Amino acid sequence: MKEKLVLIGNGMAGVRTLEELLKLDPAMYDITVFGEEPYGNYNRILLSPVLAGEKTIDDIMLNDLQWYEDNGITLHTGEKVVKIDRRARKLITDKGREESYDRLLLATGSHPIILPVPGNDLDGVISFRDIKDVDAMLEAAKKYKHAVVIGGGLLGLEAANGLKLQGMHVSVVHLMDTLMERQLDPVSGGMLKQSLEERGLNFLMGASTEAILGEGHVRGVRFKGGLEVAADLVVMAVGIRPNIDLARDAGLHCERGVVVNDTLQTFDPRIYAVGECVQHRGQTYGLVAPLFEQAKVAANHLAKLGIARYEGSVTSTKLKVTGIDLFSAGDFMGDDSTEEIVMQDAARGVYKKIVLRDNKIQGSVLYGDTVDGAWYFQLMRDGTDVSDIRDSLLLGQHHLGDAGHGGTNLAASMADDAEVCGCNGVCKGDIVKAITEEGLFTLDEVRAHTKASASCGSCTGLVEQILAHTLGSDYSEAPSAKPLCKCTEHTHDEVRAAIREQKLTSIRQVIDTLEWHTPDGCAACRPALNYYLIAAWPGEAQDDPQSRFINERAHANIQKDGTYSVVPRMWGGLTNPKELRAIADVVEKYDVPEMKVTGGQRIDLFGVKKEDLPAIWSDLNAAGMVSGHAYGKSLRTVKTCVGKSWCRFGTQDSTGLGVKLEKLTWGSWMPHKFKIAVSGCPRNCAEATIKDFGVVCVDSGYELHVGGNGGIKVRVTDLLGKVETEEEVMEYCAAFTQLYREEAHYLERTAPWVERVGLSHIQQHVMESDENRKALADRFKESQKYAQIDPWAEHAQKAELRKEFEPLKQVG
Amino acid sequence: MSDWIEVGSVEDIPKLGARVVKTAEGDIGIFRTNDDRIFALRDSCPHQGGPLSQGIVHDHKVTCPLHNWNIELETGEAVAPDEGCAATYPVKVENGTVYLSLSS
Ligand SMILES: Cc1cc2nc3c(=O)[nH]c(=O)nc-3n(C[C@H](O)[C@H](O)[C@H](O)COP(=O)(O)OP(=O)(O)OC[C@H]3O[C@@H](n4cnc5c(N)ncnc54)[C@H](O)[C@@H]3O)c2cc1C
Ligand code: HEM
Ligand code: SF4
Ligand code: FES
């Protein structure tokens, strides 16, 4: 018989945990859910837009009754659990029902705090927590005129805004002098107050409520000092208190919330708890992002995978009042040990403040322009050193240039029919529709349903923004260390460290040692692991062809009709009659339908049948040509200009140097494709400043440029430094390449990598320390010993490898 | 009834890999999983006809090389939320030899 799992609390955290659990193992438990509210699971956050008339209750349902049925879950709505009997492992409801459990999940949320003042139980005094409250407010707005909202925090302001839009006259009462003082500093709080006043809200600041007046129905509110204000509706939004009633009565250890450990277990190991009702490492949370993180971990343990840990969350806040942009995260006030960078533009209504300690972001407040909130939040969570970008930090990520990977905040302004994902032809409208209709929350879900960003991934940033923009930032999962793929919880960096430190040399070892959830990994992690292994242990780790994308397995680019292209290497773009004749010969001999000169200064043969590949390679080999690796996450080409040998402007032998660099680097496997160019003078005909590694020759030596790319979003290189001799260029190139090979994540090009780790980090390793540079260059040369084998010759010669290209059998 | 055709030995197909059998009705991919099960699918992805035999095999699935659909080797069905089906063919292994039947 299956074990019984019972969930108490049919709210956002509890049901999210069930969803995560069903994803991991849909059949593990017999699941029963009790919910005091008489509905399926709905999106509590969106009660504010419902109150404001921007959404309906139907719009905010997350899981309707059908969902529970489809997943074999028994749901009892409108039924409150009143007692847990831990010894007998059963619980009792207000309808007298008894239910036994093997595991119990508590997700009882919180209670709104009701001020202990006379009159707090009058008719017309309500809180703002559930559908019932919103119904009461909408009802009141039809009948009455005057509303008082007590509490100038997030919830109070959203309530006030909604009531105002429903036509009421609204006063907000706040005990402090700054609105949302837990999220805003006095300047931004003041700006917020001003724009809400312009929308017709009244404020009573520094006012302490003494009594609520009226007999039967509320009629007004009195404050200390005697001031009275008329009211037919009073909304208390002064805070929340974790709902621990049941847990405490059952003898579970509680402080402010139900105390849980890093696996979300309470002091009774059969009982888990998630959501606003829990206290973890002394913290309670009142926003969904941390609750969703908890849900993931709790589900992992309920599914008995037992590897995830919850280590607490850093949260950020946005206010959901249409037309007001406000963002706050971390320590935004600062202290003696911090510095502030501030920008204020009163005319535009924009204010930005970033608090730094030792050049790391501690917190930020943004008002009026919050486009970069997510970016600052990410920098803060990652603890990124921002010294390199300090000057332009407040101008935003867009200003930095993002190499087509971060994406600027276009999401808001894009038209619905604007194409987002060029690979799969997905428009913004398709994505928004999938998010709202299918109830999607995560990038992975959007990928699965729409295919947007599922292919080349270059639109990932944009898709994430559309997700955030459509759902309100509340959902965009707090940026966290992303796991390598769905097969594991470990990040790229953790996996690489394990491979190095535990000397793992095969994919099977990694999958076993790091406890992958899937038997053989997937098409996303296997190629990454294969690369990490051969990069860490050249010569020792066996390359696994079955874990390479077909292009690298077949050493040719698969085309859309299933044929392949062949690109022989032309060193530095140089060629000669013998090579050209050999190319012409194979084109005729094998009926190759098309040839083209590529942007990488060589010739591409298109439309080749897979089974002809080995023969073509062997003919090209015979003329001295080798694979150009135009198909690989590897060095592609070294593009050169004619340079000093012919050009009147040339300062150095750019072509010769290019050939040397290509001889140095060819065959090397990389996290992503890698292109080099050498220009003979600053006119830069070889476009060296949009390459991964570019050399621009000058009279006095060689400028080294790194981290550029062409493509959808051009990124110009950063200047790494200048050297004087060709030998130095070679050594610095080897060192830079090796640093990239060792540090970048698989499928991360140099441009986003340079932006992630910062140019100064790279300069430290490659320019400033001779010792480091030599060590890097040596490691590169060592790994090249094993990599510089022409795969074409190898395949043409070894029958075993040729099998890949031959049919197993021809039938009929 | 099935006409079993001998197509080669299990060892001719790499683990977590595939080989192609060419037939009059088109290519058929013969897949070998890590637990040495053998499956046969029409070598054409239900999405846009990508050559499934060139994909990465994991568990009892293959990921199409063109746009990353995942296809169940046992049934030919695309893994949700994608929808579609590649034709499957009966295969059997006897003494390390793989036999295929074209009566799909
Ligand atoms: C108006 C409003 C706006 C918000 N806006 C945001 C926002 O913009 N961003 C953000 O991140 N967060 C926001 N929040 C907070 C967010 O909604 C909560 O953090 C989240 O819903 C808490 O999830 P939970 O599962 O812990 O609790 P809930 O979602 O409250 O679920 C708990 C459920 O348990 C039920 N229950 C309790 N006791 C029992 C019992 N004994 N038996 C049976 N059932 C029981 C309750 O009835 C309730 O349905 C907002 C909240 C409100 C009210
Ligand atoms: C995955 C699909 C892609 C394939 C199969 C592909 C293939 C190729 C090939 C075969 C070449 C010729 C290179 C050579 O001579 O070695 C080339 C050149 C080039 N590709 Fe791509 N490419 C792809 C995606 C991209 C993307 C996404 C970008 C932009 C980010 C891009 C930008 C370029 C540029 C700028 C060149 C010219 C290189 C140079 O001048 O050195 N390609 N591509
Ligand atoms: S980059 Fe300078 S040296 Fe090279 S071809 Fe152009 S002008 Fe001549
Ligand atoms: S053709 Fe297979 S995924 Fe598109």
Side-chain angles (χ1 to χ4, degrees):
Chain A
M1 245 216 0
K2 281 199 231 171
E3 283 193 286
K4 279 202 68 170
L5 171 68
V6 177
L7 164 64
I8 306 181
N10 190 29
M12 298 190 72
V15 177
R16 180 59 172 241
T17 311
L18 295 185
E19 287 178 338
E20 295 280 357
L21 173 63
L22 293 173
K23 261 195 261 168
L24 295 174
D25 190 340
M28 186 158 202
Y29 292 99
D30 215 346
I31 303 176
T32 304
V33 179
F34 289 95
E36 193 177 345
E37 295 184 67
Y39 316 97
N41 175 39
Y42 63 90
N43 187 341
R44 198 171 300 286
I45 294 186
L46 296 183
L47 287 177
S48 303
V50 171
L51 181 64
E54 291 162 1
K55 283 198 157 67
T56 66
I57 294 288
D58 279 348
D59 290 341
I60 69 169
M61 280 295 158
L62 291 173
N63 303 85
D64 55 14
L65 302 180
Q66 189 65 39
W67 178 83
Y68 293 86
E69 199 165 300
D70 292 347
N71 287 287
I73 298 172
T74 313
L75 170 67
H76 302 290
T77 58
E79 190 161 345
K80 180 178 178 178
V81 175
V82 292
K83 184 168 158 31
I84 304 172
D85 180 345
R86 291 202 286 134
R87 192 165 308 156
R89 274 201 263 133
K90 63 173 191 189
L91 40 86
I92 303 168
T93 73
D94 58 354
K95 295 195 175 150
R97 191 197 307 269
E98 296 198 357
E99 189 80 40
S100 63
Y101 65 84
D102 295 299
R103 299 215 178 190
L104 187 62
L105 178 61
L106 280 178
T108 48
S110 40
H111 290 307
I113 294 178
I114 303 292
L115 290 176
V117 294
N120 65 9
D121 54 353
L122 288 170
D123 251 8
V125 180
I126 57 174
S127 47
F128 186 17
R129 180 72 196 172
D130 51 27
I131 292 185
K132 173 172 62 48
D133 296 330
V134 172
D135 283 343
M137 284 191 248
L138 291 173
E139 200 56 32
K142 283 193 209 132
K143 283 200 268 182
Y144 304 114
K145 193 93 203 98
H146 295 280
V148 169
V149 175
I150 306 180
L154 189 85
L155 217 54
L157 296 179
E158 291 187 2
N161 177 62
L163 291 170
K164 176 77 207 166
L165 290 172
Q166 294 299 337
M168 294 191 85
H169 176 92
V170 185
S171 302
V172 177
V173 180
H174 196 48
L175 193 58
M176 305 292 172
D177 292 321
T178 302
L179 291 177
M180 293 180 66
E181 76 285 350
R182 284 171 44 206
Q183 287 91 19
L184 299 182
D185 64 353
V187 182
S188 48
M191 294 172 85
L192 172 63
K193 179 157 169 271
Q194 191 187 342
S195 37
L196 290 171
E197 275 167 349
E198 280 162 14
R199 288 158 178 250
L201 294 184
N202 288 327
F203 289 93
L204 281 164
M205 305 301 283
S208 168
T209 307
E210 195 171 73
I212 298 175
L213 312 173
E215 292 91 43
H217 195 92
V218 59
R219 123 184 107 67
V221 182
R222 188 173 69 231
F223 301 98
K224 281 220 173 78
L227 178 69
E228 286 186 15
V229 176
D232 319 301
L233 173 72
V234 172
V235 179
M236 288 219 196
V238 291
I240 54 172
R241 181 166 51 77
N243 177 358
I244 57 172
D245 310 349
L246 259 183
R248 205 188 33 222
D249 292 347
L252 289 174
H253 180 56
C254 296
E255 291 173 9
R256 265 177 308 141
V258 185
V259 176
V260 293
N261 62 15
D262 287 2
T263 59
L264 282 318
Q265 254 167 337
T266 66
F267 277 47
D268 178 341
R270 286 189 179 271
I271 306 185
Y272 288 77
V274 291
E276 283 185 347
C277 63
V278 313
Q279 177 178 338
H280 170 263
R281 296 193 187 178
Q283 288 282 335
T284 58
Y285 295 97
L287 293 169
V288 294
L291 311 187
F292 285 180
E293 291 174 27
Q294 293 173 357
K296 221 181 185 126
V297 176
N300 185 289
H301 287 275
L302 284 170
K304 304 189 179 162
L305 294 170
I307 41 173
R309 284 180 53 184
Y310 177 65
E311 301 185 335
S313 303
V314 188
T315 56
S316 65
T317 313
K318 275 198 143 193
L319 182 71
K320 298 190 302 299
V321 169
T322 307
I324 294 185
D325 289 324
L326 169 167
F327 174 90
S328 149
D331 171 10
F332 55 87
M333 293 300 279
D335 56 36
D336 292 348
S337 66
T338 59
E339 305 167 80
E340 287 174 7
I341 318 182
V342 177
M343 189 201 77
Q344 191 168 3
D345 181 344
R348 277 203 306 141
V350 172
Y351 172 74
K352 300 183 185 185
K353 170 159 119 181
I354 296 177
V355 176
L356 297 172
R357 181 181 295 123
D358 301 334
N359 279 317
K360 292 184 180 153
I361 298 183
Q362 304 299 313
S364 61
V365 178
L366 309 177
Y367 189 87
D369 174 2
T370 54
V371 164
D372 288 300
W375 183 49
Y376 298 141
F377 192 45
Q378 177 84 48
L379 291 172
M380 174 174 113
R381 301 235 334 184
D382 293 351
T384 308
D385 187 317
V386 296
S387 5
D388 289 337
I389 49 175
R390 227 182 121 130
D391 295 346
S392 52
L393 201 53
L394 283 178
L395 298 175
Q397 190 174 21
H398 174 53
H399 185 81
L400 267 189
D402 52 30
H405 296 264
T408 56
N409 204 330
L410 293 168
S413 55
M414 276 177 93
D416 272 356
D417 60 357
E419 187 172 81
V420 173
C421 174
C423 298
N424 296 304
V426 188
C427 299
K428 178 186 166 192
D430 304 331
I431 300 176
V432 172
K433 187 159 160 241
I435 293 170
T436 46
E437 289 183 4
E438 311 279 339
L440 311 181
F441 288 113
T442 64
L443 181 64
D444 278 341
E445 288 168 351
V446 174
R447 278 191 183 146
H449 278 87
T450 66
K451 290 287 168 285
S453 84
S455 299
C456 82
S458 69
C459 61
T460 302
L462 197 51
V463 175
E464 279 177 330
Q465 279 173 19
I466 294 174
L467 192 64
H469 188 254
T470 309
L471 296 168
S473 69
D474 324 286
Y475 276 115
S476 47
E477 281 170 89
S480 59
K482 283 190 189 138
L484 196 154
C485 73
K486 283 180 264 181
C487 304
T488 178
E489 310 292 323
H490 298 289
T491 62
H492 283 271
D493 291 331
E494 287 165 358
V495 172
R496 291 199 93 164
I499 290 175
R500 267 194 321 272
E501 286 156 19
Q502 307 182 38
K503 189 145 194 209
L504 307 177
T505 55
S506 75
I507 292 181
R508 195 44 65 190
Q509 271 181 334
V510 177
I511 287 181
D512 291 344
T513 314
L514 300 182
E515 301 184 330
W516 247 235
H517 310 330
T518 47
D520 315 316
C522 68
C525 61
R526 284 243 303 279
L529 293 180
N530 192 52
Y531 169 71
Y532 289 156
L533 288 163
I534 55 178
W537 304 110
E540 290 178 72
Q542 275 291 327
D543 190 279
D544 174 21
Q546 302 310 328
S547 295
R548 285 187 177 272
F549 291 121
I550 181 60
N551 289 352
E552 291 185 359
R553 197 179 332 136
H555 295 281
N557 278 322
I558 190 166
Q559 306 295 336
K560 64 180 191 185
D561 61 355
T563 65
Y564 291 79
S565 69
V566 170
V567 187
R569 200 167 279 290
M570 288 181 173
W571 306 94
L574 291 176
T575 186
N576 56 44
K578 183 175 167 212
E579 288 180 356
L580 292 175
R581 210 167 275 130
I583 291 175
D585 286 344
V586 297
V587 167
E588 285 181 349
K589 181 164 159 196
Y590 297 95
D591 268 338
V592 176
E594 186 162 303
M595 28 193 329
K596 173 174 190 324
V597 176
T598 75
Q601 299 186 335
R602 43 207 198 160
I603 294 173
D604 199 337
L605 313 182
F606 290 103
V608 178
K609 291 187 273 311
K610 190 173 180 187
E611 52 271 32
D612 286 341
L613 287 171
I616 292 189
W617 296 343
S618 121
D619 286 5
L620 293 172
N621 274 163
M625 293 204 265
V626 298
S627 163
H629 291 85
Y631 46 79
K633 309 298 173 210
S634 56
L635 177 86
R636 295 285 175 89
T637 70
V638 178
K639 186 168 173 173
T640 64
C641 74
V642 288
K644 193 161 81 171
S645 14
W646 303 95
C647 176
R648 63 201 162 108
F649 298 113
T651 61
Q652 312 280 357
D653 175 14
S654 49
T655 320
L657 178 57
V659 172
K660 285 184 197 157
L661 285 170
E662 193 158 356
K663 297 265 179 193
L664 171 76
T665 51
W666 77 275
S668 158
W669 296 110
M670 306 268 194
H672 208 306
K673 59 184 171 186
F674 193 97
K675 297 172 183 173
I676 297 179
V678 187
S679 283
C681 85
R683 283 166 195 75
N684 195 9
C685 293
E687 296 157 349
T689 49
I690 53 161
K691 294 291 181 272
D692 297 279
F693 186 86
V695 181
V696 175
C697 303
V698 289
D699 260 340
S700 54
Y702 305 84
E703 286 174 10
L704 308 179
H705 298 259
V706 298
N709 65 208
I712 304 171
K713 183 117 205 287
V714 178
R715 182 184 194 272
V716 173
T717 44
D718 294 313
L719 180 63
L720 183 67
K722 217 186 115 186
V723 297
E724 283 166 18
T725 65
E726 283 197 347
E727 289 64 41
E728 284 172 299
V729 176
M730 305 283 281
E731 180 173 307
Y732 284 64
C733 174
F736 172 79
T737 309
Q738 184 64 10
L739 191 66
Y740 168 62
R741 297 181 73 238
E742 291 178 5
E743 288 192 349
H745 300 163
Y746 190 64
L747 296 188
E748 181 177 42
R749 283 201 68 179
T750 56
W753 170 64
V754 168
E755 287 181 6
R756 180 164 66 83
V757 301
L759 183 65
S760 48
H761 167 83
I762 294 167
Q763 280 169 331
Q764 239 168 38
H765 280 81
V766 179
M767 305 304 294
E768 288 155 25
S769 157
D770 291 348
E771 197 185 327
N772 247 334
R773 179 178 60 251
K774 289 216 159 54
L776 279 165
D778 285 347
R779 288 206 291 282
F780 183 68
K781 284 175 205 146
E782 172 66 19
S783 88
Q784 284 296 75
K785 277 196 217 154
Y786 304 95
Q788 289 193 327
I789 297 166
D790 175 30
W792 288 2
E794 207 183 9
H795 279 73
Q797 285 151 17
K798 293 194 190 150
E800 185 55 32
L801 292 176
R802 244 185 351 257
K803 276 188 185 169
E804 166 78 35
F805 302 92
E806 292 161 358
L808 182 61
K809 173 120 180 170
Q810 181 91 40
V811 178
Chain B
M1 66 152 255
S2 314
D3 290 321
W4 293 106
I5 307 163
E6 179 191 330
V7 292
S9 90
V10 171
E11 296 310 314
D12 289 333
I13 309 166
K15 257 189 204 284
L16 294 176
R19 296 284 299 276
V20 170
V21 171
K22 293 199 167 289
T23 75
E25 13 175 323
D27 288 0
I28 296 174
I30 312 287
F31 298 82
R32 176 175 172 195
T33 61
N34 197 46
D35 53 7
D36 283 338
R37 297 276 307 275
I38 304 287
F39 299 97
L41 290 183
R42 201 169 121 74
D43 198 13
S44 173
C45 177
H47 179 219
Q48 288 178 10
L52 295 173
S53 61
Q54 316 293 298
I56 288 182
V57 178
H58 47 98
D59 201 356
H60 288 178
K61 302 185 194 57
V62 60
T63 302
C64 175
L66 291 198
H67 317 92
N68 291 326
W69 279 30
N70 283 307
I71 309 294
E72 294 284 358
L73 294 173
E74 184 107 47
T75 59
E77 297 275 357
V79 175
D82 295 322
E83 285 171 22
C85 192
T88 59
Y89 295 85
V91 269
K92 65 175 182 180
V93 179
E94 274 169 17
N95 298 324
T97 304
V98 181
Y99 298 86
L100 168 73
S101 162
L102 293 184
S103 56
S104 72

